[in-house]
Amino acid sequence: MHIITFANRKGGVGKTTSALAIAHRLAQLGYQTLLIDADPQGNASSTIAELPAVPGSLAAALDTGGGLRSQLNSAAPNLYCITAGEDLTRQEKLLGQEMDYGWFFRNILQDLAAALAGSPGPAAGLPALPAQLDFVLIDTSPYLGTLAVSAMVASEAVFIPLQPNFFNSEGLTKVVEMVGVIRRNFNPNLRIGGIFFTKYARTYRKALHHQYARALEADPVLGKLVMQQTIRENVALDESQAGQQAIYDWAPSSNGATDYRALTDEFLTRLHIPDAT
């Protein structure tokens, strides 16, 4: 089970859009995928149409301590989700008061893996699940709080979406520093899986953006982490979210769908995982 966190200490960089698009693409490729919305804004949750009237949520798992199995929602073939909402803000604050809060996601995901392996059949009132999950993608909030830290402690890699400009570059620095702290103190296997540019293409006529992109690519440490594929500006991405559909269903030939297919391929390559096709 590959646990991956999407993070940036800056809003509006396409973090949720990217987590959603990659999750949907992994599911299309046949990977059993769980998307966890760990952002109290609940943006990822609001884009998924196939949810029960009272969906399971991360806040409920924190409140009851009953684990994730009873909070899973079926979102699409091969894709499951744990939703978030404003009630997660309070639960995150309470979690932060616990001495072992950093291990929350690691422990609860280990328990979920054990529950799936021990009971692969459907339980009453719950969606049918496979005996194991291939991917868990965690979408975090921009402020790198308790849940974001815990997500990184549980993860093998962090992927960082970035618009190449001054403010977003500062956000990148904070994430890199946080990854270093977590590697030293909690998870020595954590790494930055990749940094990818959003709302950007190397053919755009935005000189200042190119300047920041080139500076990052020339960095002796971070440059090798910059992914080749970029995500161009594309209104179809916003439209698909408003329509509560995956970009590949809403506008399969759009730039957004094309870019995220290619980005997912590169995502798998960087994780040394073969394409399911």
Side-chain angles (χ1 to χ4, degrees), residues 2-116:
H2 299 279
I3 305 172
I4 308 297
T5 292
F6 288 83
N8 193 322
R9 196 171 180 269
K10 181 72 173 66
V13 297
K15 177 175 51 58
T16 295
T17 297
S18 299
L20 278 164
I22 292 176
H24 277 287
R25 182 59 179 162
L26 290 172
Q28 280 189 344
L29 291 172
Y31 293 108
Q32 300 295 326
T33 304
L34 170 62
L35 174 64
I36 299 179
D37 189 349
D39 184 352
Q41 295 179 94
N43 289 334
S45 304
S46 67
T47 69
I48 298 172
E50 299 300 322
L51 292 176
V54 183
S57 70
L58 187 57
L62 281 161
D63 185 38
T64 64
L68 292 179
R69 176 64 184 91
S70 60
Q71 305 302 327
L72 287 173
N73 305 283
S74 179
N78 302 326
L79 179 61
Y80 309 89
C81 70
I82 301 287
T83 65
E86 292 183 0
D87 53 346
L88 185 57
T89 300
R90 175 179 175 276
Q91 294 299 333
E92 183 176 19
K93 288 180 180 178
L94 293 174
L95 176 65
Q97 297 172 12
E98 302 292 332
M99 292 185 62
D100 61 346
Y101 76 84
W103 307 110
F104 167 71
F105 271 120
R106 189 198 67 171
N107 293 339
I108 206 167
L109 287 170
Q110 285 180 346
D111 290 345
L112 176 61
L116 294 177

Side-chain angles (χ1 to χ4, degrees), residues 231-254:
I231 306 300
R232 291 168 286 181
E233 293 186 271
N234 185 217
V235 69
L237 290 167
D238 292 333
E239 292 172 346
S240 68
Q241 292 170 6
Q244 296 184 306
Q245 291 189 36
I247 183 61
Y248 316 106
D249 298 326
W250 180 269
S253 60
S254 65

